[in-house]
Amino acid sequence: MTGPTSLLSSPFSPKPAAVCNNVDVLTDNKRTCIEIKTKDFGTVIYVLIGATDVASIQLGVSQGSVVCKGQELGYFAYGGSCVVVVFEERSIIFDRDLERQSKIGMETLVKYGSSLGRVFTDSWMDQ
């Protein structure tokens, strides 16, 4: 794992109503970025975004840590939050519910252990 990188700012709600207003919660709120190198997906970046009243983002891992699938990376201390996961181009085939919700600009609740998609392979291009 490389990082983390902390980006400080004002706390706004990441709820759809706030996201659709003039407040850009994805860039105006406190954020911490974690970069993880993976075998299947290449580099994956987690952007942890603190929302209204988040006191801090507490990480349980540090730069150079080896992390495993499902391992807790940390937590948001008090308040709401959201996480943006960024994958390399052509590394993942997203699940249909995520694609459908994204096309209409709506968030999708993803719980711990939920699938985001499958590893992209060149064989997907033949389908």
Side-chain angles (χ1 to χ4, degrees):
M1 180 187 103
T2 60
T5 302
S6 290
L7 308 165
L8 301 175
S9 53
S10 304
F12 297 101
S13 172
K15 293 293 182 192
V19 172
C20 293
N21 288 321
N22 291 333
V23 175
D24 188 354
V25 298
L26 299 179
T27 60
D28 286 345
N29 285 11
K30 177 177 179 152
R31 298 159 326 274
T32 297
C33 300
I34 299 172
E35 180 180 316
I36 298 177
K37 308 273 189 209
T38 72
K39 177 181 156 235
D40 292 331
F41 295 104
T43 300
V44 178
I45 299 179
Y46 292 82
V47 183
L48 311 173
I49 304 171
T52 307
D53 299 325
V54 167
S56 63
I57 299 171
Q58 298 295 315
L59 295 178
V61 294
S62 59
Q63 186 166 348
S65 296
V66 175
V67 296
C68 300
K69 181 179 177 179
Q71 178 179 339
E72 181 180 287
L73 299 176
Y75 61 91
F76 295 93
Y78 183 75
S81 60
C82 69
V83 178
V84 174
V85 184
V86 182
F87 293 90
E88 290 183 22
E89 185 176 13
R90 295 183 66 170
S91 66
I92 186 170
I93 301 293
F94 287 103
D95 289 341
R96 287 188 178 136
D97 62 332
L98 294 176
E99 286 192 0
R100 184 175 52 250
Q101 294 292 87
S102 294
K103 285 180 183 172
I104 61 171
M106 185 61 68
E107 70 178 340
T108 304
L109 176 63
V110 178
K111 295 183 178 182
Y112 176 80
S114 297
S115 171
L116 298 178
R118 299 169 308 285
V119 175
F120 179 92
T121 64
D122 288 331
S123 64
W124 289 105
M125 296 300 291
D126 298 333
Q127 297 181 7

